[in-house]
């Protein structure tokens, strides 16, 4: 009987620590609106008196150590809830590789300087996608602009050189927007070179 | 003017985003939201997309048409919905159903 009580208490404790022990935090507020429901441009929610920026951040998931500041203004209704798992997904149009990176002269010059040609488009796409998911999962990204279009983040990509550039590693940033429930929408596959450390 | 086209900004209204009049860049989302495309400025030195903003259609001019097809645009539109405004043709914002969003040519608020 006494053991049952202890077990129940321990179970309760374990549930609580599991619930609050994750590395990921979902930001939420009382509004039912978020970037998805607003089709990508957050608007103030008059029903709950929630500002556009808080709507833009509603239901987004960030690493505990790298997240937008919680209270952005007086009477902010946002809260954080820790999550055990990150179910990250990407909204990344393959044509940003096949019809942008390898087609527009300024971009094609960059990617071709790494030894890649259009035949390697899928390889480049997969490398960027895999890098982005892995680094997002590690909290290894930089918070960029936050506006009604959402929290923009920059994720570093390390792409190995190909053909005559084998042996080189090219490090650059890709631009993404944090959508609800761990979804990242690609803004640009080439947001800037990583600056070399001195 | 549509997805992936190279465009130029012809307004001073976007300096807070690091985008000045005369800057060139690309349209990297297919849909037009509230009369604006998602514009990514290209750094003329590095070629990288170093700044972005929602830029009103009236504040953009076409530099190079990259001929994105309707099929390509439809596939990238949210929910693949052809009713999204996504192209600017002859002064009209139009969707893939051919419907116009403005009544008077080049007056995008009409």
């Amino acid at each position: 009987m006494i053991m049952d009580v202890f077990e129940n208490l321990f179970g309760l404790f374990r549930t609580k620590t599991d619930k609050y022990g994750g590395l990921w935090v979902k930001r939420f507020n009382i509004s039912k609106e978020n970037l998805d429901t607003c089709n990508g441009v957050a608007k103030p929610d008059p029903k709950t008196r929630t500002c556009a920026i808080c709507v833009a951040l509603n239901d987004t998931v960030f690493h505990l150590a790298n997240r937008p500041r919680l209270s952005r203004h007086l009477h902010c209704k946002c809260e954080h809830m820790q999550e055990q798992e990150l179910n990250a997904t990407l909204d990344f149009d393959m044509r940003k590789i096949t019809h942008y990176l390898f087609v527009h002269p300024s971009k094609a010059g960059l990617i071709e300087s790494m030894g890649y040609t259009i035949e390697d488009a899928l390889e480049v796409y997969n490398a960027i996608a895999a890098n982005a998911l892995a680094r997002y999962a590690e909290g290894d990204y930089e918070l960029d602009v936050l506006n009604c279009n959402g929290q923009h983040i920059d994720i570093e990509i390390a792409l190995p050189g190909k053909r005559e550039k084998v042996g080189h590693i090219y490090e650059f940033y890709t631009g993404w927007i944090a959508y609800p429930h761990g979804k990242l929408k690609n803004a640009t596959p080439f947001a800037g070179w990583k600056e070399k450390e001195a | 003017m549509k997805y992936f086209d190279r465009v130029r900004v012809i307004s001073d209204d976007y300096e807070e985003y690091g985008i000045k009049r005369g800057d060139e860049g690309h349209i990297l989302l297919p849909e037009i939201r509230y009369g604006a495309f998602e514009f990514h400025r290209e750094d003329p030195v590095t070629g990288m997309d170093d700044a972005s903003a929602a830029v009103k259609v009236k504040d953009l001019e076409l530099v190079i048409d990259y001929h994105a097809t309707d099929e390509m645009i439809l596939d990238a539109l949210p929910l693949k919905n052809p009713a999204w405004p996504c192209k600017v043709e002859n002064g009209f914002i139009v969707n893939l159903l051919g419907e116009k969003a403005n009544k008077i040519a080049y007056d995008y608020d009409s």
Side-chain angles (χ1 to χ4, degrees):
Chain A
M1 176 70 178
I2 292 174
M3 286 304 290
D4 286 347
V5 172
F6 273 114
E7 275 185 17
N8 287 341
L9 277 174
F10 181 70
L12 184 66
F13 176 72
R14 188 173 52 203
T15 305
K16 277 205 156 199
T17 51
D18 284 350
K19 187 175 178 184
Y20 297 104
L23 278 173
W24 293 91
V25 285
K26 178 181 277 187
R27 184 186 176 114
F28 68 99
N29 53 54
I30 57 175
S31 174
K32 289 182 180 170
E33 304 297 333
N34 60 33
L35 262 190
D36 269 332
T37 64
C38 292
N39 286 321
V41 184
K43 292 181 290 185
D45 178 6
K47 290 178 191 164
T48 57
R49 301 179 71 186
T50 305
C51 76
I53 296 296
C54 290
V55 168
L57 289 170
N58 200 12
D59 298 324
T60 54
V61 181
F62 291 93
H63 195 277
L64 186 62
N66 192 6
R67 57 194 158 140
R69 197 159 45 90
L70 180 56
S71 295
R72 299 192 49 81
H73 54 79
L74 203 60
H75 306 307
C76 180
K77 301 174 195 68
C78 289
E79 291 182 52
H80 279 150
M81 178 175 65
Q82 286 187 254
E83 299 220 317
Q84 275 303 108
E85 289 184 10
L86 171 71
N87 295 313
T89 56
L90 299 181
D91 180 353
F92 183 16
D93 186 358
M94 175 68 177
R95 279 168 289 253
K96 288 200 175 176
I97 305 298
T98 56
H99 289 76
Y100 182 56
L101 213 53
F102 279 105
V103 170
H104 289 47
S106 54
K107 300 291 181 299
L110 288 174
I111 194 71
E112 284 164 12
S113 73
M114 302 177 196
Y116 289 89
T117 66
I118 186 69
E119 290 77 34
D120 308 315
L122 184 61
E123 185 180 341
V124 172
Y125 177 89
N126 287 337
I128 290 176
N131 265 252
L133 281 173
R135 289 186 186 265
Y136 179 51
E138 291 167 4
D140 187 9
Y141 50 81
E142 292 182 14
L143 297 174
D144 202 332
V145 177
L146 168 61
N147 56 28
C148 64
N149 297 115
Q151 174 69 59
H152 293 60
I153 65 173
D154 296 328
I155 301 182
E156 185 190 321
I157 304 295
L159 190 65
K162 194 153 179 166
R163 296 189 175 84
E164 72 277 12
K165 300 293 182 171
V166 165
H168 291 75
I169 299 290
Y170 297 91
E171 295 175 318
F172 56 90
Y173 288 101
T174 51
W176 304 80
I177 304 168
Y179 267 62
H181 313 297
K183 182 170 83 176
L184 294 182
K185 188 179 180 77
N186 181 259
T188 171
F190 260 5
W193 291 109
K194 183 190 176 191
E195 287 180 18
K196 298 286 181 199
E197 290 172 15
Chain B
M1 193 155 44
K2 59 193 173 307
Y3 195 27
F4 290 141
D5 282 351
R6 187 174 182 89
V7 292
R8 182 183 298 118
V9 175
I10 53 172
S11 165
D12 297 317
D13 292 348
Y14 306 95
E15 291 194 357
E16 64 179 294
Y17 304 104
I19 295 167
K20 294 178 180 166
R21 179 192 291 264
D23 281 353
E24 292 185 13
H26 301 94
I27 296 166
L28 290 190
L29 286 181
E31 64 271 22
I32 297 173
R33 294 172 171 144
Y34 303 102
F37 270 121
E38 174 91 355
F39 168 82
H40 285 254
R41 187 195 100 106
E42 184 178 276
D43 184 323
V45 177
T46 65
M48 294 290 189
D49 300 325
D50 64 351
S52 66
V55 177
K56 294 278 184 187
V57 163
K58 67 180 174 59
D59 296 330
L60 291 171
E61 67 179 13
L62 181 66
V63 177
I64 302 173
D65 184 340
Y66 278 93
H67 305 290
T69 62
D70 285 0
E71 185 185 13
M72 188 190 299
I73 294 170
L74 177 63
D75 200 45
L77 284 170
L79 304 177
K80 302 189 192 307
N81 183 349
W84 268 98
C86 58
K87 293 195 285 187
V88 179
E89 292 176 343
N90 303 317
F92 291 100
I93 294 173
V94 297
N95 64 19
L96 293 178
L97 303 172
E99 298 164 338
K100 295 174 180 172
N102 52 310
K103 296 188 181 88
I104 304 165
Y106 298 100
D107 180 354
Y108 298 107
D109 296 321
S110 63

